[in-house]
C-alpha cells in the first residue's frame, strides 16, 4: 500500500532527520512510502540554477514555473497514493500540509491520518488538537490523529 507523507519536514535541516524514523516505522508496518521530498531531485536542481539568475523578474518567473511543476508532481503523487500520513506538528499545521489534506479529502478515495508529536496547543479550543478544519477532514476521511509513532500501527488506511 502506498502512503504519501505530507509534511513540512524537508524544509529545515533540523527537521529532515525525523523523516527517517517516520519512514522506518511505516515501512515496518508494510507500507511503501511516497516521500515528496525525495520525488523531485531534478526540480531541486532546477531551483538551484534558478537562484543564480541575476535579473529579479527572470528569476521570479523561473521560480514560479518550477514551483508549479513541483506542485503538480505532488498532486500526481497524492492521486497515486492509497493514503496520507500528515505530520501536524508546529504551533499551527503547515499550510502546504493542510492543503494536501484538503486535496486528498476532496479526491474522495483516500484516508488521511495525522501524527502530532508536538505537545503545544494548536486547536481553537479544548475539543480539537489542531485547526478544527484540518481535524475535521482527517476524521471525516476515516482517519485519526495520534501522538506517538508507536500508535501508527492502529491506523487504517483504506476506507
Amino acid at each position: 500500500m502506498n502512503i504519501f507523507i505530507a509534511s513540512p519536514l524537508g524544509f529545515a535541516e533540523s527537521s529532515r532527520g525525523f523523516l527517517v524514523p517516520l519512514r522506518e516505522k511505516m515501512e515496518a508496518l508494510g507500507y511503501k512510502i511516497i516521500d515528496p521530498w525525495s520525488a523531485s531531485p531534478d526540480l531541486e536542481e532546477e531551483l538551484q540554477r534558478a537562484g543564480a539568475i541575476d535579473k529579479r523578474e527572470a528569476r521570479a518567473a523561473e521560480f514560479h514555473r518550477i514551483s508549479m511543476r513541483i506542485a503538480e508532481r505532488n498532486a500526481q503523487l497524492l492521486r497515486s497514493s492509497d493514503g496520507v500520513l500528515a505530520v501536524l506538528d508546529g504551533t499551527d499545521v503547515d499550510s502546504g500540509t493542510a492543503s494536501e489534506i484538503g486535496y486528498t479529502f476532496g479526491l474522495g478515495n483516500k484516508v488521511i491520518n495525522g501524527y502530532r508529536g508536538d505537545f503545544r496547543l494548536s486547536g481553537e479550543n479544548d475539543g480539537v488538537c489542531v485547526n478544527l478544519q484540518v481535524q475535521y477532514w482527517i476524521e471525516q476521511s476515516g482517519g485519526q490523529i495520534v501522538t506517538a509513532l508507536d500508535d501508527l500501527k492502529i491506523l487504517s488506511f483504506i476506507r
Side-chain angles (χ1 to χ4, degrees):
M1 202 174 292
N2 298 321
I3 302 302
F4 181 99
I5 297 181
S7 80
L9 298 175
F11 285 113
E13 184 178 359
S14 62
S15 59
R16 276 186 218 124
F18 185 67
L19 282 169
V20 175
L22 188 60
R23 177 184 208 117
E24 288 173 351
K25 177 65 176 177
M26 297 306 292
E27 288 172 344
L29 293 171
Y31 301 111
K32 181 178 181 260
I33 300 305
I34 298 174
D35 176 9
W37 295 104
S38 61
S40 300
D42 57 323
L43 298 175
E44 286 293 324
E45 290 174 16
E46 288 184 38
L47 283 172
Q48 293 293 326
R49 286 192 299 271
I53 297 172
D54 289 334
K55 287 188 154 189
R56 184 183 182 287
E57 292 89 15
R59 186 175 58 249
E62 186 64 0
F63 275 141
H64 180 267
R65 184 188 69 76
I66 298 165
S67 295
M68 294 303 101
R69 289 182 57 212
I70 292 169
E72 175 55 29
R73 188 166 296 169
N74 284 350
Q76 290 170 351
L77 293 172
L78 284 162
R79 289 189 299 268
S80 71
S81 69
D82 297 308
V84 170
L85 172 63
V87 177
L88 309 172
D89 288 345
T91 54
D92 196 18
V93 174
D94 170 69
S95 59
T97 301
S99 69
E100 290 167 339
I101 290 167
Y103 181 73
T104 302
F105 181 84
L107 292 173
N109 61 351
K110 310 288 188 203
V111 172
I112 306 165
N113 293 279
Y115 166 78
R116 182 164 176 83
D118 194 330
F119 64 86
R120 295 174 290 179
L121 298 177
S122 179
E124 287 83 355
N125 58 57
D126 290 341
V128 291
C129 65
V130 293
N131 173 281
L132 63 89
Q133 201 65 62
V134 169
Q135 188 159 341
Y136 175 83
W137 296 131
I138 291 169
E139 292 179 7
Q140 288 300 303
S141 73
Q144 61 185 355
I145 297 174
V146 298
T147 58
L149 286 178
D150 286 341
D151 293 338
L152 292 175
K153 66 181 181 273
I154 64 172
L155 300 179
S156 172
F157 287 99
I158 297 294
R159 284 189 198 210

